[in-house]
């Protein structure tokens, strides 16, 4: 072990000194929580994220003497480790976490067991050379071809139980369908499925479990047989060179480039991939059904609103992923989260804990199917080794959910004690018992329900599909040409809380959406918007005025906030022009409640056309300045903005003309003083005739992609299987931001400040492009 110098958190030893019973390999005492941590104990086995809450909060990197690993629990630290696969080698990803006994080793030897590097535990440069050769089968386009097969398998299994009324879904289909899909995908002949399942369980226990000395021998028998079996299947496949499937792609590459796709790799991969491709997905599906069915209101929402299925599946992967921890080994002394790990230090990254880190996910313990950054979860890993099969796994989960929500919406979870195969990394209940009343099956009344399927595009879920149905509780004139609309939850629950500056996207019958700010009051449990009828507009506001009546249902996305109020400023100047009062009134309400100093300037044509005047006069009389044009009162911006004031922030919403004048008028104010809400994205939309193609190097994924003149960077990244969250896709929201390492950026968004743009270190991938020929991104 090399000697290390500690960088400490608070000047002393980086570990708490409460439990001196144990020490780390660096000689540092470990805290009592760290000393007692054991991933094979019940708390971790039942709920790994919860079991590591203390670590996330107090000691995000600790040495576990019981495991002999450094445990890392926070999102940013884990992502940083995934990012750097040279410093943090994946070579131990499939190592036996419990050292094997001599007897077990003897058994394995008897079977000539020689499991070695595959992809997931291969170092560079061999790994990327191999991965690039084998990526073609995983593009969203190629995967689309498998959807009908997955659909058929799920439907057949469901047909078999639909009249039964009770079933364990794991035993009936959750393991067998993903296993069959995996075999089809790989091109491996379907043989003894039960035996393959037993082999997989043995492999999981062998790699991530803590079998007792007697079990070790049994497990080694299973693993040895699995190894032999894999070799035989491989030999059979090699004898038939024209088969279809990913394994055949590998066999072909092995012929063409034996130094890149080696013989041992083929055999090791044959064994590892059967597990990787089926157990992960089987467990993920079981977790998702358990989580969704244990929240009947959420299940009901999904049945009513199946558009949400991709988002719900992703949220389940975040909330209760099937891979909960993954491993790396430090190749040099290196600091993680303020603690120096020694060269050779083994690392357990508890991704389930990262997925519950409140610094990345709001209310992380809540299963929120409307969450729009669920896709950031680390259940598929991240970076150059990120799961290649993620989009196949997603597809299977979505098809399961779609078939069940449509055909058995009245499904209920039975009271049961869930059990899990004891291991550090693969997690899902061993059984999921459900019941339903077959007499209520919708297809008994309407047989077309059986086949009325809905398909989803392959890939990460689209934020645009996260649509909520709400009921119009009230629609009444708020001012001349302004309709005030109050929205409630159809089931009578309180709608989620929101923050001032938030807006909703109201989805029109055409499928297009329009943004309307929430205008409060914020704590009423319902949502209120006010819509100005714009005759010269694109038709959205006319539709709202003509069609929206009390009792109808609307489809909305959000609330989303791209116009957040910084409440820490000493003084706020709020400026509203016309209907721009909607977010501003919510800000005024909030500042008043906080007892903060502010002034509100509100200009409009006439009092009659200005919404909320009465309420503003009542609630904000002292802070309010009204400028109705027909009364000869004019907002004098030159006077208002003459004296820049340190510690004052300006928030404005209104016509582009007003916003432009404010921007010009605050040029002499400190950078970042003015915050405006843009609702249109002029200049952000793509005009291929004026663009040039450019190359993008993805440093974390070690890929190079070409962005054509007629595609956005975001579209190109998605087509390459790289998940980037997005929302507005027109440069307004900031959710598709990507870090730039090199290259000159042509910024097209409305999110970044001038200083942020000048930094040339980030861009909005939905609209911004390269000025020159190349960009290098931290993706
Ligand atoms: C790698 C999870 C489904 C094939 C991985 C890794 C994880 C993972 C955590 C390691 C990532 C890293 O080191 O950054 C999952 C989950 C799945 C799933 C949660 C389902 C819900 C699949 C499927 C396939 C597959 C269906 C194949 C058809 C692979 C391969 C790798 C991998 C080939 C190695 C990639 C590399 O190292 O370059 N997966 N997986 N996975 N997975 Fe998956
Ligand atoms: Fe909103 Fe790109 S998705 S700025």
């Amino acid at each position: 072990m090399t000697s290390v110098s500690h960088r400490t958190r608070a000047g002393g030893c980086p570990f708490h000194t409460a439990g001196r019973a144990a020490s780390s390999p660096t000689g540092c005492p470990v805290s009592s929580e760290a000393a007692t941590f054991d991933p094979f104990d019940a708390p971790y086995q039942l709920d790994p994220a919860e079991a590591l809450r203390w670590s996330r909060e107090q000691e995000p990197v600790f040495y576990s003497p019981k495991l002999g690993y450094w445990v890392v629990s926070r999102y940013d630290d884990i992502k940083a480790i995934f990012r750097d696969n040279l410093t943090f080698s994946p070579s131990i990803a499939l190592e036996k976490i419990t050292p094997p006994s001599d007897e077990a080793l003897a058994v394995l030897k008897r079977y000539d067991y020689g499991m070695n590097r595959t992809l997931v535990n291969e170092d560079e440069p061999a790994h990327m050379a191999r991965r690039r050769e084998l990526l073609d089968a995983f593009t969203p386009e190629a995967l689309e071809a498998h959807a009908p097969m997955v659909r058929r398998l799920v439907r057949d299994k469901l047909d078999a139980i639909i009249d039964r009324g009770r079933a364990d879904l794991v035993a009936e289909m959750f393991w067998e369908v993903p296993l069959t899909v995996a075999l089809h995908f790989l091109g491996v002949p379907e043989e003894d499925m039960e035996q393959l399942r037993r082999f997989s369980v043995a492999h999981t226990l062998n790699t991530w479990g803590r079998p007792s000395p007697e079990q070790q021998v049994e497990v080694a028998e299973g693993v040895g047989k699995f190894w032999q079996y894999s070799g035989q299947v491989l030999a059979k496949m090699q004898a038939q060179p024209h088969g279809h499937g990913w394994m055949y792609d590998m066999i072909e590459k092995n012929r063409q480039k034996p130094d890149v796709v080696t013989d041992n790799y083929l055999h090791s991969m044959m064994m590892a991939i059967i597990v990787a491709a089926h157990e992960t997905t089987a467990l993920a599906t079981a977790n998702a059904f358990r989580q969704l069915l244990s929240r009947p209101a959420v299940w009901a929402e999904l049945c009513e609103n199946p558009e949400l299925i991709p988002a719900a599946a992703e949220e389940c992967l975040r909330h209760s992923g099937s891979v909960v921890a993954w491993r790396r080994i430090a190749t040099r002394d290196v600091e993680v989260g303020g603690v120096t790990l020694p060269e050779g230090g083994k690392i357990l990254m508890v991704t389930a804990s990262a997925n519950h880190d409140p610094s990345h996910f709001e209310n992380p313990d809540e299963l929120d199917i409307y969450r729009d950054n669920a896709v950031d979860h680390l259940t598929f890993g991240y970076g150059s080794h990120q799961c290649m099969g993620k989009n196949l796994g997603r597809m299977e989960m979505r098809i399961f959910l779609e078939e069940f929500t449509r055909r058995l919406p009245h499904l209920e979870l039975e009271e049961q004690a869930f059990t899990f195969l004891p291991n550090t990394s693969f997690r899902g209940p061993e059984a999921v018992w459900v019941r339903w009343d077959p007499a209520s099956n919708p297809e008994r009344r309407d047989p077309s329900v059986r086949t009325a399927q809905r398909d989803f595009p392959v890939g990460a879920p689209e934020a645009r599909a996260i649509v909520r149905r709400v009921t119009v509780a009230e629609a009444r004139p708020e001012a001349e040409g302004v309709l005030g609309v109050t929205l409630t939850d159809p089931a009578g629950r309180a709608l989620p809380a929101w923050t001032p500056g938030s807006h909703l996207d109201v989805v029109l019958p055409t499928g297009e959406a329009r943004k309307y700010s929430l205008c409060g009051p914020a704590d009423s449990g319902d949502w209120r918007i006010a819509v100005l009828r714009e005759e010269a507009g694109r038709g959205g506001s006319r539709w709202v005025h003509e069609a929206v009546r009390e009792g109808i249902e609307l489809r909305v996305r959000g609330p989303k906030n791209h116009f957040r109020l910084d409440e820490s400023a000493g003084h706020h100047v709020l400026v509203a022009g016309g209907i721009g009062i909607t977010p501003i009134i919510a800000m005024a309400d909030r500042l008043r409640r906080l007892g903060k100093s502010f002034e509100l300037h509100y200009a409009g044509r006439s009092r009659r056309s200005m919404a909320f005047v009465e309420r503003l006069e009542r609630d904000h009389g002292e802070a309010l300045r009204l400028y109705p044009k027909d009364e000869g009162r004019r907002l004098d911006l030159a006077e208002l903005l003459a004296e820049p004031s340190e510690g004052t922030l300006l928030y404005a919403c209104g016509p582009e003309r007003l916003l432009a004048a404010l921007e010009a008028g605050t040029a002499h104010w400190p950078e970042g003083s003015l915050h405006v809400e843009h609702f249109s994205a002029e200049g952000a939309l793509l005009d291929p005739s004026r663009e040039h193609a450019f190359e993008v190097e993805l440093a974390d994924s070690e890929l190079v992609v070409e962005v054509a003149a007629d595609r956005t960077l975001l579209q190109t990244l998605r087509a390459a299987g790289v998940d980037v969250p997005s929302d507005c896709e027109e440069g307004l929201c900031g959710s598709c931001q990507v870090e730039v390492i090199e290259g000159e950026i042509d910024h097209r968004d409305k999110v970044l400040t001038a200083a942020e743009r000048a930094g040339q270190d980030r861009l909005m991938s939905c609209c911004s492009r390269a000025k020159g020929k190349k960009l290098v991104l931290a993706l």
Side-chain angles (χ1 to χ4, degrees):
M1 188 76 45
T2 39
S3 72
V4 291
S5 64
H6 287 296
R7 223 205 62 179
T8 59
R9 272 198 291 266
C13 171
F15 305 99
H16 301 290
T17 48
R20 287 187 175 273
S23 63
S24 78
T26 58
C28 261
V30 300
S31 70
S32 53
E33 288 92 342
T36 51
F37 172 76
D38 186 341
F40 295 99
D41 280 351
Y44 182 97
Q45 287 301 312
L46 291 176
D47 188 345
E50 187 54 37
L52 281 162
R53 182 184 295 277
W54 67 271
S55 162
R56 280 195 301 285
E57 289 172 359
Q58 304 161 31
E59 202 182 349
V61 181
F62 67 90
Y63 182 75
S64 160
K66 289 197 174 179
L67 196 63
Y69 273 69
W70 298 83
V71 179
V72 185
S73 61
R74 280 194 190 157
Y75 186 90
D76 287 346
D77 292 338
I78 294 184
K79 196 153 178 179
I81 294 175
F82 271 128
R83 271 211 155 104
D84 181 356
N85 62 354
L86 298 181
T87 307
F88 303 101
S89 157
S91 57
I92 61 162
L94 302 181
E95 188 177 286
K96 294 174 193 49
I97 204 158
T98 302
S101 63
D102 289 345
E103 291 86 341
L105 282 176
V107 172
L108 290 174
K109 195 154 179 245
R110 206 162 21 82
Y111 285 103
D112 264 343
Y113 179 68
M115 174 77 155
N116 204 332
R117 301 294 181 102
T118 62
L119 273 171
V120 82
N121 57 355
E122 181 62 283
D123 282 313
E124 303 306 342
H127 161 259
M128 257 343 265
R130 214 173 263 171
R131 179 165 165 132
R132 280 196 203 102
E133 291 294 332
L134 297 170
L135 264 175
D136 290 353
F138 293 98
T139 61
E141 248 178 328
L143 289 176
E144 203 81 66
H146 297 288
M149 175 255 301
V150 178
R151 178 73 68 175
R152 184 170 36 75
L153 291 169
V154 175
R155 194 166 287 170
D156 287 353
K157 289 286 177 195
L158 195 44
D159 283 345
I161 61 162
I162 194 128
D163 291 321
R164 219 187 274 170
R166 182 167 188 264
D168 165 13
L169 296 180
V170 175
E172 295 295 341
M173 62 187 88
F174 285 170
W175 71 265
E176 198 180 326
V177 171
L179 178 54
T180 316
V181 172
L183 297 180
H184 277 293
F185 175 79
L186 297 170
V188 174
E190 274 173 61
E191 285 180 19
D192 189 345
M193 306 288 272
E194 280 287 351
Q195 174 171 281
L196 270 180
R197 190 190 183 200
R198 280 197 305 278
F199 284 167
S200 299
V201 169
H203 175 65
T204 302
L205 282 176
N206 184 47
T207 315
W208 296 285
R210 187 183 286 167
S212 64
E214 308 79 64
Q215 281 172 326
Q216 283 225 13
V217 171
E218 195 188 318
V219 164
E221 282 285 341
V223 171
K225 285 188 186 135
F226 195 5
W227 178 253
Q228 293 272 316
Y229 170 87
S230 308
Q232 286 153 14
V233 174
L234 182 61
K236 239 192 257 174
M237 292 175 77
Q238 280 171 317
Q240 296 169 9
H242 300 300
H244 288 292
W246 195 47
M247 235 18 250
Y248 282 105
D249 293 357
M250 284 188 229
I251 291 170
E252 187 52 35
K253 296 283 177 194
N254 170 253
R255 272 197 200 104
Q256 291 167 5
K257 301 184 179 175
D259 50 330
V260 176
V261 178
T262 61
D263 289 344
N264 179 280
Y265 164 78
L266 270 192
H267 191 167
S268 297
M269 191 63 177
M270 183 75 212
M271 178 164 155
I273 192 65
I274 291 178
V275 181
H278 109 260
E279 276 224 319
T280 48
T281 313
L283 298 172
T285 309
N287 285 329
F289 273 75
R290 174 194 173 190
Q291 294 301 336
L292 292 167
L293 288 169
S294 62
R295 295 167 177 79
V298 177
W299 177 259
E301 222 165 328
L302 210 52
C303 295
E304 277 160 33
N305 196 355
E307 284 161 283
L308 290 173
I309 285 172
E314 206 68 22
E315 173 65 350
C316 290
L317 283 164
R318 180 198 70 84
H319 184 276
S320 291
S322 52
V323 175
V324 295
W326 211 244
R327 287 179 286 167
R328 293 288 188 261
I329 184 166
T331 57
R332 59 176 172 85
D333 294 357
V334 60
E335 192 192 297
V336 177
V339 174
T340 304
L341 311 193
E343 179 184 341
K346 294 182 177 184
I347 302 166
L348 185 76
M349 301 173 283
V350 185
T351 44
S353 169
N355 290 344
H356 284 249
D357 186 338
S359 73
H360 199 88
F361 298 103
E362 242 171 84
N363 296 324
D365 301 330
E366 193 182 318
L367 185 89
D368 176 4
I369 59 178
Y370 294 99
R371 189 183 295 279
D372 51 17
N373 70 342
V375 72
D376 285 348
H377 68 74
L378 298 176
T379 302
F380 291 128
Y382 176 77
S384 61
H385 282 270
Q386 198 195 36
C387 177
M388 287 165 83
K390 64 186 176 182
N391 286 328
L392 187 58
R394 283 171 168 149
M395 177 199 289
E396 293 179 58
M397 293 175 73
R398 292 171 188 179
I399 291 179
F400 270 120
L401 286 170
E402 201 275 333
E403 287 283 328
F404 272 87
T405 49
R406 174 165 44 79
R407 298 181 64 189
L408 289 179
H410 48 307
L411 196 67
E412 284 175 19
L413 194 63
E414 284 196 347
E415 215 28 62
Q416 62 202 293
F418 292 101
T419 59
F420 301 88
L421 187 72
N423 76 98
T424 55
S425 296
F426 278 37
R427 182 170 186 280
E430 289 174 303
V432 175
W433 280 99
V434 290
R435 62 164 177 257
W436 66 98
D437 174 10
S440 307
N441 289 356
E443 59 203 58
R444 292 209 180 170
R445 271 169 285 123
D446 175 4
S448 71
V449 171
R450 181 176 171 274
T451 50
Q453 76 193 48
R454 173 190 288 260
D455 293 310
F456 303 104
V458 175
E462 294 175 337
R464 282 162 187 277
I466 307 183
V467 174
R468 184 188 297 267
R469 287 162 206 260
V470 288
T471 305
V472 175
E474 191 177 57
R476 64 178 175 89
E478 203 63 70
E480 206 173 69
V482 178
L483 186 70
V485 181
T486 304
L487 304 167
T488 54
D489 181 82
R493 292 177 297 250
L495 287 169
W498 51 277
T499 46
S502 298
H503 71 271
L504 295 178
D505 288 340
V506 173
V507 183
L508 308 177
T510 55
E512 290 172 281
R514 295 288 183 274
K515 299 181 195 324
Y516 297 112
S517 295
L518 285 161
C519 47
D523 52 2
S524 57
D526 53 23
W527 292 340
R528 289 176 204 184
I529 55 173
V531 180
L532 172 69
R533 183 173 180 126
E534 289 179 271
E535 295 301 342
R538 290 171 296 163
S541 68
R542 275 202 305 280
W543 179 82
V544 171
H545 275 253
E546 283 158 19
V548 171
R549 293 283 165 272
E550 191 180 317
I552 72 159
E553 192 173 79
L554 281 186
R555 295 165 71 235
V556 301
R557 293 195 289 257
K560 302 166 185 175
N561 200 341
H562 309 157
F563 188 37
R564 271 180 202 281
L565 180 65
D566 177 348
E567 295 171 353
S568 66
H571 182 70
H572 291 82
V573 176
L574 308 178
V575 181
I579 196 63
I581 189 64
T582 48
I584 296 294
I585 190 174
M587 291 184 172
D589 290 347
R590 173 78 185 155
L591 292 172
R592 179 163 170 257
R593 173 157 337 150
L594 293 175
K596 305 281 293 194
S597 153
F598 73 99
E599 59 200 83
L600 197 176
H601 302 268
Y602 180 15
R605 262 186 302 115
S606 65
R607 277 176 195 262
R608 269 180 299 121
S609 71
M610 290 164 71
F612 307 119
V613 169
E614 253 175 54
R615 174 152 102 73
L616 286 165
E617 282 178 333
R618 188 191 67 213
D619 295 345
H620 302 293
E622 276 178 24
L624 181 68
R625 314 274 182 282
L626 287 178
Y627 308 96
K629 197 169 171 202
D630 67 346
E631 292 175 20
R633 305 186 54 187
R634 211 174 54 84
L635 168 58
D636 186 342
L637 285 184
E639 190 191 324
L640 181 69
L641 305 174
E643 282 300 317
S645 156
E646 200 64 56
T648 292
L649 292 180
L650 292 102
Y651 286 81
C653 186
E656 286 290 330
R657 196 164 21 82
L658 171 69
L659 303 185
L662 276 160
E663 247 156 67
T666 49
H668 60 300
W669 281 59
E671 169 81 31
S673 299
L674 176 66
H675 300 258
V676 298
E677 168 91 297
H678 285 284
F679 280 118
S680 72
E682 276 158 54
L685 298 178
L686 191 65
D687 175 359
S689 66
R690 298 168 59 183
E691 306 296 352
H692 67 276
F694 56 99
E695 191 180 273
V696 172
E697 187 182 322
L698 309 177
D700 297 345
S701 318
E702 300 193 30
L703 289 176
V704 177
V705 293
E706 169 93 7
V707 182
D710 62 351
R711 302 201 89 186
T712 66
L713 171 57
L714 183 67
Q715 288 166 337
T716 312
L717 292 172
R718 295 224 166 116
V722 179
D723 300 337
V724 178
S726 75
D727 189 349
C728 68
E729 301 197 0
E730 48 183 338
L732 299 171
C733 72
S735 59
C736 64
Q737 177 168 306
V738 167
E739 206 182 307
V740 179
I741 299 170
E742 223 179 280
E744 218 186 327
I745 307 160
D746 180 358
H747 289 287
R748 312 269 179 96
D749 65 279
K750 305 242 175 190
V751 181
L752 297 176
T753 64
E756 286 167 340
R757 285 174 178 221
Q760 291 280 317
D761 59 357
R762 65 194 92 169
L763 60 68
M764 297 306 147
S765 56
C766 67
C767 57
S768 298
R769 305 180 70 85
K771 270 214 174 115
K773 290 201 170 101
K774 183 167 175 185
L775 291 176
V776 182
L777 306 180
L779 268 181

